[in-house]
Short mmCIF file of all heavy atoms in Angstrom, two decimals:
data_model
loop_
_atom_site.label_atom_id
_atom_site.label_comp_id
_atom_site.label_asym_id
_atom_site.label_seq_id
_atom_site.Cartn_x
_atom_site.Cartn_y
_atom_site.Cartn_z
N MET A 1113 -8.46 -26.19 -11.56
CA MET A 1113 -7.24 -25.76 -10.86
C MET A 1113 -7.22 -24.24 -10.77
O MET A 1113 -7.45 -23.55 -11.75
CB MET A 1113 -6.02 -26.27 -11.62
CG MET A 1113 -4.73 -25.98 -10.88
SD MET A 1113 -3.31 -26.85 -11.59
CE MET A 1113 -3.16 -26.08 -13.17
N ALA A 1114 -6.97 -23.74 -9.56
CA ALA A 1114 -6.92 -22.30 -9.37
C ALA A 1114 -5.68 -21.72 -10.03
O ALA A 1114 -4.60 -22.31 -9.98
CB ALA A 1114 -6.92 -21.98 -7.88
N ILE A 1115 -5.86 -20.60 -10.66
CA ILE A 1115 -4.73 -19.92 -11.29
C ILE A 1115 -4.37 -18.71 -10.44
O ILE A 1115 -5.22 -17.87 -10.17
CB ILE A 1115 -5.07 -19.46 -12.71
CG1 ILE A 1115 -5.43 -20.67 -13.58
CG2 ILE A 1115 -3.93 -18.67 -13.33
CD1 ILE A 1115 -5.95 -20.31 -14.95
N THR A 1116 -3.12 -18.65 -9.98
CA THR A 1116 -2.68 -17.50 -9.21
C THR A 1116 -2.09 -16.50 -10.19
O THR A 1116 -1.11 -16.78 -10.86
CB THR A 1116 -1.62 -17.90 -8.18
OG1 THR A 1116 -2.18 -18.89 -7.33
CG2 THR A 1116 -1.20 -16.71 -7.34
N ARG A 1117 -2.71 -15.34 -10.26
CA ARG A 1117 -2.20 -14.30 -11.16
C ARG A 1117 -1.30 -13.36 -10.39
O ARG A 1117 -1.54 -13.04 -9.23
CB ARG A 1117 -3.36 -13.55 -11.79
CG ARG A 1117 -4.25 -14.46 -12.63
CD ARG A 1117 -5.34 -13.71 -13.30
NE ARG A 1117 -4.79 -12.79 -14.29
CZ ARG A 1117 -5.53 -11.90 -14.94
NH1 ARG A 1117 -6.81 -11.81 -14.70
NH2 ARG A 1117 -4.98 -11.09 -15.82
N THR A 1118 -0.26 -12.91 -11.05
CA THR A 1118 0.70 -12.00 -10.43
C THR A 1118 0.48 -10.60 -10.95
O THR A 1118 0.33 -10.38 -12.15
CB THR A 1118 2.14 -12.45 -10.73
OG1 THR A 1118 2.33 -13.77 -10.21
CG2 THR A 1118 3.15 -11.51 -10.10
N VAL A 1119 0.45 -9.65 -10.02
CA VAL A 1119 0.33 -8.24 -10.38
C VAL A 1119 1.60 -7.54 -9.91
O VAL A 1119 2.04 -7.74 -8.77
CB VAL A 1119 -0.89 -7.59 -9.71
CG1 VAL A 1119 -0.97 -6.10 -10.04
CG2 VAL A 1119 -2.17 -8.29 -10.13
N VAL A 1120 2.18 -6.75 -10.78
CA VAL A 1120 3.36 -5.97 -10.40
C VAL A 1120 2.92 -4.54 -10.11
O VAL A 1120 2.25 -3.91 -10.94
CB VAL A 1120 4.42 -5.99 -11.51
CG1 VAL A 1120 5.61 -5.11 -11.13
CG2 VAL A 1120 4.87 -7.42 -11.79
N VAL A 1121 3.25 -4.06 -8.94
CA VAL A 1121 2.90 -2.70 -8.53
C VAL A 1121 4.18 -1.88 -8.47
O VAL A 1121 5.15 -2.29 -7.82
CB VAL A 1121 2.20 -2.70 -7.15
CG1 VAL A 1121 1.98 -1.28 -6.64
CG2 VAL A 1121 0.87 -3.45 -7.22
N ALA A 1122 4.19 -0.75 -9.16
CA ALA A 1122 5.36 0.13 -9.13
C ALA A 1122 5.14 1.20 -8.09
O ALA A 1122 4.23 2.02 -8.21
CB ALA A 1122 5.58 0.74 -10.51
N GLY A 1123 5.94 1.18 -7.04
CA GLY A 1123 5.88 2.21 -6.01
C GLY A 1123 5.28 1.73 -4.72
O GLY A 1123 4.18 1.18 -4.69
N ALA A 1124 6.01 1.93 -3.63
CA ALA A 1124 5.56 1.49 -2.31
C ALA A 1124 5.12 2.67 -1.46
O ALA A 1124 5.42 2.74 -0.27
CB ALA A 1124 6.66 0.69 -1.61
N GLY A 1125 4.41 3.61 -2.08
CA GLY A 1125 3.79 4.69 -1.31
C GLY A 1125 2.46 4.19 -0.75
O GLY A 1125 2.12 3.01 -0.90
N ILE A 1126 1.70 5.08 -0.14
CA ILE A 1126 0.42 4.67 0.43
C ILE A 1126 -0.50 4.11 -0.65
O ILE A 1126 -1.25 3.14 -0.41
CB ILE A 1126 -0.25 5.86 1.18
CG1 ILE A 1126 -1.51 5.42 1.91
CG2 ILE A 1126 -0.60 7.01 0.24
CD1 ILE A 1126 -1.29 4.87 3.26
N GLY A 1127 -0.42 4.67 -1.86
CA GLY A 1127 -1.27 4.19 -2.94
C GLY A 1127 -0.89 2.78 -3.39
O GLY A 1127 -1.74 1.89 -3.49
N GLY A 1128 0.40 2.58 -3.64
CA GLY A 1128 0.86 1.27 -4.10
C GLY A 1128 0.68 0.19 -3.05
O GLY A 1128 0.28 -0.94 -3.37
N LEU A 1129 0.96 0.54 -1.80
CA LEU A 1129 0.84 -0.46 -0.74
C LEU A 1129 -0.62 -0.82 -0.49
O LEU A 1129 -0.96 -1.98 -0.24
CB LEU A 1129 1.50 0.05 0.55
CG LEU A 1129 3.02 0.21 0.49
CD1 LEU A 1129 3.55 0.78 1.81
CD2 LEU A 1129 3.68 -1.15 0.21
N THR A 1130 -1.50 0.19 -0.56
CA THR A 1130 -2.93 -0.09 -0.36
C THR A 1130 -3.46 -0.96 -1.49
O THR A 1130 -4.19 -1.94 -1.26
CB THR A 1130 -3.73 1.23 -0.27
OG1 THR A 1130 -3.21 2.01 0.81
CG2 THR A 1130 -5.20 0.96 0.00
N ALA A 1131 -3.11 -0.62 -2.71
CA ALA A 1131 -3.53 -1.43 -3.85
C ALA A 1131 -2.99 -2.86 -3.72
O ALA A 1131 -3.71 -3.82 -4.00
CB ALA A 1131 -3.03 -0.79 -5.15
N SER A 1132 -1.75 -2.98 -3.27
CA SER A 1132 -1.14 -4.30 -3.12
C SER A 1132 -1.88 -5.14 -2.09
O SER A 1132 -2.14 -6.33 -2.29
CB SER A 1132 0.33 -4.16 -2.73
OG SER A 1132 1.03 -3.46 -3.73
N LEU A 1133 -2.21 -4.51 -0.96
CA LEU A 1133 -2.95 -5.25 0.08
C LEU A 1133 -4.31 -5.69 -0.42
O LEU A 1133 -4.75 -6.82 -0.16
CB LEU A 1133 -3.13 -4.36 1.32
CG LEU A 1133 -2.05 -4.41 2.39
CD1 LEU A 1133 -2.37 -3.42 3.49
CD2 LEU A 1133 -1.94 -5.82 2.96
N ALA A 1134 -4.99 -4.79 -1.13
CA ALA A 1134 -6.32 -5.11 -1.64
C ALA A 1134 -6.24 -6.27 -2.64
O ALA A 1134 -7.07 -7.17 -2.63
CB ALA A 1134 -6.95 -3.88 -2.28
N LEU A 1135 -5.24 -6.24 -3.50
CA LEU A 1135 -5.07 -7.30 -4.49
C LEU A 1135 -4.71 -8.62 -3.81
O LEU A 1135 -5.25 -9.69 -4.16
CB LEU A 1135 -3.98 -6.92 -5.50
CG LEU A 1135 -4.37 -5.81 -6.48
CD1 LEU A 1135 -3.13 -5.22 -7.14
CD2 LEU A 1135 -5.31 -6.36 -7.54
N ALA A 1136 -3.83 -8.55 -2.81
CA ALA A 1136 -3.45 -9.77 -2.09
C ALA A 1136 -4.65 -10.37 -1.36
O ALA A 1136 -4.81 -11.59 -1.32
CB ALA A 1136 -2.32 -9.45 -1.10
N ALA A 1137 -5.51 -9.49 -0.83
CA ALA A 1137 -6.71 -9.97 -0.13
C ALA A 1137 -7.65 -10.69 -1.09
O ALA A 1137 -8.46 -11.52 -0.66
CB ALA A 1137 -7.43 -8.79 0.54
N LYS A 1138 -7.55 -10.37 -2.37
CA LYS A 1138 -8.38 -11.04 -3.39
C LYS A 1138 -7.67 -12.24 -4.00
O LYS A 1138 -8.14 -12.83 -4.97
CB LYS A 1138 -8.75 -10.04 -4.50
CG LYS A 1138 -9.70 -8.95 -4.07
CD LYS A 1138 -11.09 -9.51 -3.81
CE LYS A 1138 -12.06 -8.41 -3.41
NZ LYS A 1138 -13.35 -8.97 -2.92
N GLY A 1139 -6.51 -12.58 -3.46
CA GLY A 1139 -5.84 -13.80 -3.90
C GLY A 1139 -4.76 -13.62 -4.94
O GLY A 1139 -4.18 -14.60 -5.41
N PHE A 1140 -4.49 -12.37 -5.32
CA PHE A 1140 -3.43 -12.15 -6.30
C PHE A 1140 -2.07 -12.25 -5.61
O PHE A 1140 -1.92 -11.90 -4.44
CB PHE A 1140 -3.54 -10.76 -6.94
CG PHE A 1140 -4.71 -10.63 -7.88
CD1 PHE A 1140 -5.95 -10.22 -7.43
CD2 PHE A 1140 -4.56 -10.92 -9.23
CE1 PHE A 1140 -7.03 -10.09 -8.29
CE2 PHE A 1140 -5.63 -10.80 -10.11
CZ PHE A 1140 -6.86 -10.38 -9.64
N ARG A 1141 -1.10 -12.71 -6.36
CA ARG A 1141 0.29 -12.63 -5.90
C ARG A 1141 0.78 -11.26 -6.33
O ARG A 1141 0.62 -10.88 -7.50
CB ARG A 1141 1.11 -13.74 -6.56
CG ARG A 1141 2.58 -13.72 -6.20
CD ARG A 1141 3.28 -14.93 -6.83
NE ARG A 1141 4.71 -14.86 -6.55
CZ ARG A 1141 5.58 -14.27 -7.36
NH1 ARG A 1141 5.19 -13.73 -8.49
NH2 ARG A 1141 6.86 -14.23 -7.04
N VAL A 1142 1.33 -10.51 -5.39
CA VAL A 1142 1.72 -9.13 -5.70
C VAL A 1142 3.24 -8.98 -5.55
O VAL A 1142 3.82 -9.40 -4.55
CB VAL A 1142 1.02 -8.13 -4.76
CG1 VAL A 1142 1.40 -6.70 -5.12
CG2 VAL A 1142 -0.50 -8.30 -4.83
N VAL A 1143 3.83 -8.37 -6.54
CA VAL A 1143 5.26 -8.02 -6.47
C VAL A 1143 5.34 -6.50 -6.50
O VAL A 1143 4.84 -5.86 -7.43
CB VAL A 1143 6.04 -8.61 -7.67
CG1 VAL A 1143 7.49 -8.16 -7.64
CG2 VAL A 1143 5.94 -10.13 -7.66
N ILE A 1144 5.91 -5.92 -5.46
CA ILE A 1144 6.04 -4.46 -5.38
C ILE A 1144 7.47 -4.07 -5.75
O ILE A 1144 8.42 -4.57 -5.15
CB ILE A 1144 5.72 -3.94 -3.96
CG1 ILE A 1144 4.33 -4.39 -3.53
CG2 ILE A 1144 5.84 -2.41 -3.91
CD1 ILE A 1144 4.00 -4.08 -2.08
N LEU A 1145 7.58 -3.18 -6.71
CA LEU A 1145 8.89 -2.66 -7.10
C LEU A 1145 8.99 -1.21 -6.65
O LEU A 1145 8.13 -0.40 -6.97
CB LEU A 1145 9.08 -2.76 -8.62
CG LEU A 1145 8.93 -4.15 -9.23
CD1 LEU A 1145 9.10 -4.07 -10.74
CD2 LEU A 1145 9.94 -5.11 -8.63
N GLU A 1146 10.01 -0.89 -5.88
CA GLU A 1146 10.19 0.46 -5.37
C GLU A 1146 11.56 0.96 -5.81
O GLU A 1146 12.56 0.28 -5.58
CB GLU A 1146 10.06 0.45 -3.84
CG GLU A 1146 10.49 1.74 -3.15
CD GLU A 1146 9.79 2.98 -3.69
OE1 GLU A 1146 8.55 3.02 -3.68
OE2 GLU A 1146 10.48 3.91 -4.13
N LYS A 1147 11.57 2.13 -6.44
CA LYS A 1147 12.85 2.62 -6.97
C LYS A 1147 13.75 3.25 -5.90
O LYS A 1147 14.96 3.32 -6.06
CB LYS A 1147 12.62 3.60 -8.11
CG LYS A 1147 12.08 4.95 -7.71
CD LYS A 1147 11.99 5.85 -8.93
CE LYS A 1147 11.42 7.22 -8.55
NZ LYS A 1147 11.31 8.11 -9.70
N ALA A 1148 13.11 3.74 -4.82
CA ALA A 1148 13.92 4.36 -3.76
C ALA A 1148 14.67 3.28 -2.98
O ALA A 1148 14.10 2.24 -2.66
CB ALA A 1148 13.01 5.16 -2.81
N PRO A 1149 15.93 3.53 -2.67
CA PRO A 1149 16.70 2.53 -1.92
C PRO A 1149 16.18 2.36 -0.49
O PRO A 1149 16.38 1.32 0.13
CB PRO A 1149 18.13 3.10 -1.93
CG PRO A 1149 17.98 4.54 -2.22
CD PRO A 1149 16.73 4.71 -3.03
N ARG A 1150 15.48 3.39 0.01
CA ARG A 1150 15.01 3.34 1.40
C ARG A 1150 13.71 4.15 1.48
O ARG A 1150 13.61 5.23 0.90
CB ARG A 1150 16.08 3.97 2.30
CG ARG A 1150 15.98 3.62 3.75
CD ARG A 1150 17.21 4.07 4.53
NE ARG A 1150 17.54 5.47 4.31
CZ ARG A 1150 18.71 5.89 3.85
NH1 ARG A 1150 19.65 5.04 3.58
NH2 ARG A 1150 18.94 7.17 3.66
N LEU A 1151 12.71 3.63 2.21
CA LEU A 1151 11.47 4.39 2.41
C LEU A 1151 11.65 5.31 3.61
O LEU A 1151 12.07 4.88 4.68
CB LEU A 1151 10.29 3.43 2.66
CG LEU A 1151 9.92 2.54 1.47
CD1 LEU A 1151 8.79 1.60 1.86
CD2 LEU A 1151 9.51 3.39 0.27
N GLU A 1152 11.33 6.58 3.40
CA GLU A 1152 11.50 7.54 4.48
C GLU A 1152 10.26 8.40 4.62
O GLU A 1152 9.49 8.57 3.67
CB GLU A 1152 12.72 8.44 4.18
CG GLU A 1152 14.03 7.67 4.14
CD GLU A 1152 15.20 8.56 3.75
OE1 GLU A 1152 14.98 9.51 2.96
OE2 GLU A 1152 16.31 8.29 4.22
N GLU A 1153 10.08 8.98 5.80
CA GLU A 1153 8.96 9.88 6.01
C GLU A 1153 9.20 11.19 5.28
O GLU A 1153 10.32 11.68 5.22
CB GLU A 1153 8.79 10.17 7.51
CG GLU A 1153 8.27 8.98 8.29
CD GLU A 1153 8.00 9.34 9.75
OE1 GLU A 1153 7.78 10.52 10.06
OE2 GLU A 1153 8.01 8.40 10.55
N VAL A 1154 8.12 11.73 4.70
CA VAL A 1154 8.19 13.02 4.02
C VAL A 1154 7.12 13.91 4.63
O VAL A 1154 5.97 13.50 4.76
CB VAL A 1154 7.93 12.88 2.50
CG1 VAL A 1154 7.89 14.24 1.83
CG2 VAL A 1154 9.00 12.01 1.86
N GLY A 1155 7.47 15.12 5.02
CA GLY A 1155 6.48 16.03 5.58
C GLY A 1155 6.12 15.68 7.00
O GLY A 1155 6.85 14.98 7.70
N ALA A 1156 4.93 16.16 7.43
CA ALA A 1156 4.53 16.02 8.83
C ALA A 1156 3.81 14.70 9.08
O ALA A 1156 3.41 14.41 10.19
CB ALA A 1156 3.63 17.19 9.22
N GLY A 1157 3.60 13.92 8.05
CA GLY A 1157 2.85 12.67 8.18
C GLY A 1157 1.68 12.69 7.23
O GLY A 1157 1.30 13.73 6.72
N LEU A 1158 1.14 11.54 6.96
CA LEU A 1158 0.04 11.46 6.01
C LEU A 1158 -1.29 11.74 6.70
O LEU A 1158 -1.61 11.13 7.70
CB LEU A 1158 -0.03 10.07 5.37
CG LEU A 1158 0.94 9.82 4.22
CD1 LEU A 1158 0.78 8.39 3.72
CD2 LEU A 1158 0.72 10.80 3.10
N GLN A 1159 -2.06 12.67 6.13
CA GLN A 1159 -3.41 12.92 6.63
C GLN A 1159 -4.36 12.04 5.82
O GLN A 1159 -4.40 12.13 4.60
CB GLN A 1159 -3.76 14.38 6.46
CG GLN A 1159 -2.82 15.31 7.24
CD GLN A 1159 -2.96 16.75 6.81
OE1 GLN A 1159 -4.06 17.25 6.67
NE2 GLN A 1159 -1.84 17.41 6.58
N LEU A 1160 -5.09 11.20 6.52
CA LEU A 1160 -6.01 10.29 5.85
C LEU A 1160 -7.45 10.74 6.08
O LEU A 1160 -7.86 10.94 7.23
CB LEU A 1160 -5.83 8.86 6.38
CG LEU A 1160 -4.44 8.25 6.17
CD1 LEU A 1160 -4.36 6.89 6.84
CD2 LEU A 1160 -4.15 8.11 4.69
N SER A 1161 -8.18 10.91 5.00
CA SER A 1161 -9.59 11.28 5.13
C SER A 1161 -10.36 10.08 5.69
O SER A 1161 -9.88 8.94 5.65
CB SER A 1161 -10.15 11.67 3.77
OG SER A 1161 -10.02 10.58 2.89
N PRO A 1162 -11.58 10.30 6.22
CA PRO A 1162 -12.35 9.19 6.79
C PRO A 1162 -12.58 8.05 5.79
O PRO A 1162 -12.52 6.87 6.17
CB PRO A 1162 -13.67 9.84 7.20
CG PRO A 1162 -13.29 11.26 7.51
CD PRO A 1162 -12.22 11.60 6.49
N ASN A 1163 -12.82 8.38 4.52
CA ASN A 1163 -13.06 7.28 3.57
C ASN A 1163 -11.78 6.50 3.29
O ASN A 1163 -11.82 5.28 3.12
CB ASN A 1163 -13.71 7.78 2.27
CG ASN A 1163 -12.92 8.88 1.60
OD1 ASN A 1163 -12.09 9.50 2.23
ND2 ASN A 1163 -13.18 9.11 0.32
N ALA A 1164 -10.63 7.16 3.32
CA ALA A 1164 -9.36 6.44 3.14
C ALA A 1164 -9.09 5.56 4.35
O ALA A 1164 -8.68 4.40 4.22
CB ALA A 1164 -8.22 7.44 2.94
N SER A 1165 -9.36 6.10 5.55
CA SER A 1165 -9.15 5.31 6.77
C SER A 1165 -10.05 4.08 6.76
O SER A 1165 -9.64 3.00 7.17
CB SER A 1165 -9.46 6.15 8.01
OG SER A 1165 -8.62 7.27 8.04
N SER A 1166 -11.27 4.27 6.29
CA SER A 1166 -12.22 3.15 6.25
C SER A 1166 -11.69 2.01 5.37
O SER A 1166 -11.83 0.83 5.71
CB SER A 1166 -13.56 3.67 5.72
OG SER A 1166 -14.42 2.62 5.42
N ILE A 1167 -11.05 2.37 4.27
CA ILE A 1167 -10.49 1.34 3.38
C ILE A 1167 -9.35 0.60 4.09
O ILE A 1167 -9.27 -0.63 4.06
CB ILE A 1167 -9.99 1.98 2.07
CG1 ILE A 1167 -11.19 2.44 1.24
CG2 ILE A 1167 -9.12 1.01 1.28
CD1 ILE A 1167 -10.85 3.29 0.05
N LEU A 1168 -8.51 1.36 4.78
CA LEU A 1168 -7.38 0.72 5.47
C LEU A 1168 -7.87 -0.17 6.61
O LEU A 1168 -7.32 -1.26 6.83
CB LEU A 1168 -6.41 1.79 5.98
CG LEU A 1168 -5.75 2.64 4.89
CD1 LEU A 1168 -4.81 3.66 5.52
CD2 LEU A 1168 -5.00 1.77 3.89
N VAL A 1169 -8.90 0.27 7.32
CA VAL A 1169 -9.49 -0.56 8.39
C VAL A 1169 -10.05 -1.84 7.77
O VAL A 1169 -9.88 -2.94 8.31
CB VAL A 1169 -10.57 0.23 9.16
CG1 VAL A 1169 -11.39 -0.70 10.05
CG2 VAL A 1169 -9.92 1.33 10.00
N GLY A 1170 -10.71 -1.70 6.63
CA GLY A 1170 -11.27 -2.86 5.94
C GLY A 1170 -10.21 -3.85 5.50
O GLY A 1170 -10.48 -5.04 5.34
N LEU A 1171 -8.99 -3.37 5.32
CA LEU A 1171 -7.88 -4.25 4.94
C LEU A 1171 -7.18 -4.84 6.17
O LEU A 1171 -6.15 -5.49 6.04
CB LEU A 1171 -6.87 -3.47 4.08
CG LEU A 1171 -7.35 -3.12 2.67
CD1 LEU A 1171 -6.40 -2.14 1.99
CD2 LEU A 1171 -7.50 -4.38 1.82
N GLY A 1172 -7.74 -4.57 7.36
CA GLY A 1172 -7.21 -5.18 8.59
C GLY A 1172 -6.13 -4.38 9.27
O GLY A 1172 -5.40 -4.91 10.11
N LEU A 1173 -6.02 -3.09 8.93
CA LEU A 1173 -4.91 -2.30 9.47
C LEU A 1173 -5.27 -1.48 10.72
O LEU A 1173 -4.44 -0.70 11.18
CB LEU A 1173 -4.36 -1.37 8.39
CG LEU A 1173 -3.68 -2.07 7.21
CD1 LEU A 1173 -3.24 -1.06 6.17
CD2 LEU A 1173 -2.50 -2.90 7.68
N GLU A 1174 -6.48 -1.65 11.25
CA GLU A 1174 -6.88 -0.82 12.39
C GLU A 1174 -5.89 -0.89 13.56
O GLU A 1174 -5.55 0.15 14.14
CB GLU A 1174 -8.28 -1.19 12.86
CG GLU A 1174 -8.81 -0.21 13.90
CD GLU A 1174 -10.29 -0.40 14.19
OE1 GLU A 1174 -10.87 -1.40 13.73
OE2 GLU A 1174 -10.85 0.46 14.86
N PRO A 1175 -5.39 -2.08 13.93
CA PRO A 1175 -4.44 -2.13 15.04
C PRO A 1175 -3.17 -1.32 14.77
O PRO A 1175 -2.55 -0.80 15.68
CB PRO A 1175 -4.13 -3.63 15.18
CG PRO A 1175 -5.27 -4.33 14.54
CD PRO A 1175 -5.71 -3.42 13.43
N ARG A 1176 -2.80 -1.21 13.48
CA ARG A 1176 -1.59 -0.45 13.16
C ARG A 1176 -1.88 1.04 13.10
O ARG A 1176 -1.00 1.87 13.31
CB ARG A 1176 -1.01 -0.91 11.81
CG ARG A 1176 -0.71 -2.40 11.73
CD ARG A 1176 0.36 -2.83 12.72
NE ARG A 1176 1.64 -2.18 12.49
CZ ARG A 1176 2.58 -2.70 11.70
NH1 ARG A 1176 2.38 -3.85 11.10
NH2 ARG A 1176 3.73 -2.06 11.55
N LEU A 1177 -3.14 1.39 12.79
CA LEU A 1177 -3.49 2.80 12.66
C LEU A 1177 -3.80 3.44 14.02
O LEU A 1177 -3.55 4.61 14.23
CB LEU A 1177 -4.73 2.97 11.76
CG LEU A 1177 -4.56 2.66 10.28
CD1 LEU A 1177 -5.91 2.71 9.57
CD2 LEU A 1177 -3.59 3.64 9.64
N ALA A 1178 -4.36 2.65 14.92
CA ALA A 1178 -4.83 3.19 16.20
C ALA A 1178 -3.77 3.98 16.96
O ALA A 1178 -4.07 5.07 17.46
CB ALA A 1178 -5.40 2.05 17.05
N PRO A 1179 -2.54 3.47 17.05
CA PRO A 1179 -1.54 4.25 17.81
C PRO A 1179 -1.27 5.61 17.18
O PRO A 1179 -0.86 6.55 17.86
CB PRO A 1179 -0.29 3.38 17.79
CG PRO A 1179 -0.77 2.00 17.47
CD PRO A 1179 -1.99 2.19 16.62
C1 FAD B 1809 7.69 17.45 0.74
C2 FAD B 1809 6.33 16.83 0.89
C3 FAD B 1809 5.65 16.97 2.09
C4 FAD B 1809 4.39 16.39 2.26
N1 FAD B 1809 3.75 16.54 3.46
C5 FAD B 1809 2.57 15.96 3.66
C6 FAD B 1809 1.92 16.06 4.94
O1 FAD B 1809 2.42 16.67 5.86
N2 FAD B 1809 0.72 15.45 5.09
C7 FAD B 1809 0.12 14.74 4.06
O2 FAD B 1809 -0.96 14.19 4.27
N3 FAD B 1809 0.72 14.63 2.85
C8 FAD B 1809 1.91 15.23 2.62
N4 FAD B 1809 2.51 15.13 1.41
C9 FAD B 1809 1.81 14.44 0.34
C10 FAD B 1809 1.92 12.93 0.49
O3 FAD B 1809 3.29 12.58 0.62
C11 FAD B 1809 1.32 12.30 -0.76
O4 FAD B 1809 -0.02 12.73 -0.95
C12 FAD B 1809 1.29 10.79 -0.68
O5 FAD B 1809 2.51 10.27 -0.20
C13 FAD B 1809 1.00 10.23 -2.06
O6 FAD B 1809 1.05 8.83 -1.98
P1 FAD B 1809 1.30 8.00 -3.27
O7 FAD B 1809 1.32 6.54 -2.87
O8 FAD B 1809 0.30 8.40 -4.31
O9 FAD B 1809 2.69 8.46 -3.84
P2 FAD B 1809 4.14 8.43 -3.16
O10 FAD B 1809 4.07 8.45 -1.67
O11 FAD B 1809 4.90 9.49 -3.87
O12 FAD B 1809 4.68 6.98 -3.56
C14 FAD B 1809 5.10 6.67 -4.86
C15 FAD B 1809 6.27 5.70 -4.74
O13 FAD B 1809 6.55 5.18 -6.02
C16 FAD B 1809 7.94 5.13 -6.20
N5 FAD B 1809 8.15 5.14 -7.64
C17 FAD B 1809 7.89 6.14 -8.50
N6 FAD B 1809 8.16 5.77 -9.74
C18 FAD B 1809 8.58 4.49 -9.69
C19 FAD B 1809 9.01 3.54 -10.65
N7 FAD B 1809 9.05 3.85 -11.97
N8 FAD B 1809 9.39 2.31 -10.23
C20 FAD B 1809 9.35 1.98 -8.92
N9 FAD B 1809 8.96 2.83 -7.94
C21 FAD B 1809 8.58 4.08 -8.34
C22 FAD B 1809 8.47 6.35 -5.47
O14 FAD B 1809 9.81 6.21 -5.11
C23 FAD B 1809 7.54 6.38 -4.24
O15 FAD B 1809 8.07 5.64 -3.15
C24 FAD B 1809 3.78 15.68 1.21
C25 FAD B 1809 4.47 15.52 -0.01
C26 FAD B 1809 5.74 16.07 -0.16
C27 FAD B 1809 6.48 15.87 -1.46
#
C-alpha cells in the first residue's frame, strides 16, 4: 500500500512554492502555511537566473512564465 507523506512548508514565496511544487510532483501531499494575510508584489519583480528558470520550466510552469 502506498503511503502518502505530508510535508508542511512555511512560506509561500518563490522558494516555498517551488519546493512545494517539486515535492507534489514527487507524490508528497504538501500543506503550505503563509503568515502574511495577502501575497503582494515587492520591488520591481523577481529576476530569475537561467538555472532557476530551468527548474521552473521543468516543473511545468513555462506557459505561465512566457508572458
Ligand atoms: C523591498 C524589496 C524589494 C525587492 N526587489 C526585488 C527585485 O526588484 N527583483 C528581485 O529579483 N528581487 C527583489 N527582492 C528580493 C526578492 O523579493 C527575494 O529574493 C525573494 O522574494 C526571496 O524569495 P523567498 O521565497 O526566499 O522568500 P520570500 O519571498 O521572503 O518568502 C518567504 C515567505 O515566507 C513567509 N513566512 C516567513 N516566516 C513564516 C512563518 N514562520 N510561517 C509562515 N510563513 C512565513 C513570508 O511571509 C513570505 O511570504 C526584493 C526584496 C525586497 C524586500
Side-chain angles (χ1 to χ4, degrees):
M1113 185 168 67
I1115 299 173
T1116 302
R1117 298 183 66 187
T1118 300
V1119 177
V1120 177
V1121 173
I1126 186 85
L1129 293 177
T1130 302
S1132 299
L1133 270 177
L1135 289 163
K1138 291 290 182 190
F1140 288 89
R1141 178 176 176 268
V1142 182
V1143 176
I1144 304 173
L1145 303 178
E1146 169 54 56
K1147 72 176 179 180
R1150 199 170 51 237
L1151 294 178
E1152 296 176 328
E1153 289 184 24
V1154 175
L1158 279 179
Q1159 299 166 46
L1160 299 176
S1161 60
N1163 56 342
S1165 300
S1166 169
I1167 290 170
L1168 297 180
V1169 167
L1171 289 170
L1173 294 177
E1174 189 169 10
R1176 304 297 298 269
L1177 291 173

